[in-house]
Amino acid sequence: MNILLVSAELAPFAKVGGLADISGALPIGWKRIGHNPIIVIPKYKGIEEQFHILKTDLSISFTLFEKERVFPIWTSTLPHEDIPVYFIESDDLYDRPGIYGNPDGYADNDERFFVLCKSAFELMIKLDIKPDIISAHDYHTALLLPLLQFTYSKHPLFESSKGVLTIHNAQYQGWYDLQRMIAMTSWNPEDCLWKGEFNALKTGIDYADLIIAVSPSYAKEILMPEFGEGLENVYSQYSDKLIGILNGVDYALWNPESDTCIEHHFSKSDLTNKLIGKIQLNKHYFEDNIDCDKLPLIGMVSRFTDQKGIDLLEGCIENILEQGLCRLIVLGSGEERYQSYFNALQLHYPQFVSYSQGYNEQLAHHILAYSDFFLLPSRFEPCGLTQLYALNYGTIPIVRSVGGLKDSVQPFDSITQQGDGIVFQEFAKEALHNALMDALSLYHNSTMLQSIMNNAMQADYSIEKTAKEYIDEFKKLLHKN
Ligand code: ADP
């Protein structure tokens, strides 16, 4: 199967969150089970300085707002994998700080992502590749699906292609000006009007042959107003083409025995270096080193948005820090109110709280590998990847039972000794407080701690499993006609 994957993010070239990890991992999974993925992303600012990518002789051109535009093509492969990645060059669209232009998004994101999607089709024509599956990810590349339907379905290369939309986060939808979209695409406004505007995600949903939510629970949750973000009725209307597949992990990258971002490797049978790593993390990131090997270390690595449930911590963790019961190490950035909260927390409890603002791949791996617990109290969580990574390092997730967290972390039962995490139900400070206290008492019971860590490290969420589930669904789609 030829699978064309187009994404706004792709690890390691351009990453903001989990979308990058999965856009990078799925093709690896597909390739390992015998298929041919081809990836297309924008050539964002700075990629060619950081990575080995080459300018090709190819370029593609098309008319946009009545002007002929030319887009040179660059190429590379995924690291250590023979999977082609093509980069669309357009300095005026992509040579800017950041991928999206947060917090409100660049005003011309409609054009930036439309150009990406249309270029992907034009590139396939240039390369004479016939994609069996066109794999779109979130609102940014949901435009592939109306493009397939309205512009390319009669082209011999695409006449039997199927369009699949993976929804990583239903909160972000790409509300664009309808007139501008029509001017850019020449589509019929009646085919794309939604509440007086153009909604990229909704249009993608309309024209997708299959919609994949990134966990089975999230596929059910988005049918409800609490999680559907205004599109719940649309998802319900299309429930026969909506499924959930849990994301997976590329264990070649996130592995305690071989992770290239950490120095002290360890395994299920020898955890000595996990403790050494924890001691080093404590030394580097906390003011003084009181009995740090005995104090439980709770890690967080997160984009700071209201999705991540950081609000629950305020007025809940202080009581625990006041008593010096644990240390908290946090890495993340995003909304100012959360950054200020963690800065203030660190100022108030310098012995017990360390906050690093910003994006830091290396530190993320250190926190995931060497902490005792990993906290994700999300309000909603389509899948969540960090809890899957944490499990593989024997770092016990403390999560709210929602979306992919519910599907991937099994609550630990002290009687049966089954389960691999601490799970709480209600989105409430008291529920989080109880979960934290449970975690801390578990930490001091070495038999139970051993059991839960063992269970965590045994969990298997490999990307190959996820990739195979995708392929099974792709096959069903292709055999339909
Ligand atoms: P989301 O996509 O909602 O941000 P996921 O759990 O799916 O959440 O994926 C988050 C990914 O981004 C993980 O690989 C995590 O390690 C990474 N990440 C998040 N924040 C940071 C940060 N500040 N520095 C480095 N990596 C981060």
Side-chain angles (χ1 to χ4, degrees), residues 19 82 254:
L19 173 61
D82 184 23
W254 297 92

Side-chain angles (χ1 to χ4, degrees), residues 15-19 21 254 301-303 307-308 331-332 358-361 364 368 381 384-386 389:
K15 175 166 167 176
V16 172
L19 173 61
D21 291 5
W254 297 92
V301 177
S302 186
R303 282 183 307 116
Q307 171 192 340
K308 298 295 176 181
L331 165 65
Y359 184 89
N360 183 335
E361 189 72 32
L368 280 155
E381 196 60 71
L385 291 171
T386 43
Y389 303 152

Side-chain angles (χ1 to χ4, degrees), residues 9 15-22 168-169 172 247 254 300-305 307-308 331-333 356-365 368 374 376 380-387 389 405:
E9 296 182 34
K15 175 166 167 176
V16 172
L19 173 61
D21 291 5
I22 288 301
H168 300 257
N169 195 324
Y172 306 108
N247 280 339
W254 297 92
M300 285 183 88
V301 177
S302 186
R303 282 183 307 116
F304 290 171
T305 69
Q307 171 192 340
K308 298 295 176 181
L331 165 65
S333 59
S356 302
Q357 191 171 313
Y359 184 89
N360 183 335
E361 189 72 32
Q362 181 122 359
L363 180 56
H365 282 247
L368 280 155
F374 190 82
L376 252 171
F380 71 94
E381 196 60 71
C383 177
L385 291 171
T386 43
Q387 84 282 5
Y389 303 152
L405 301 176

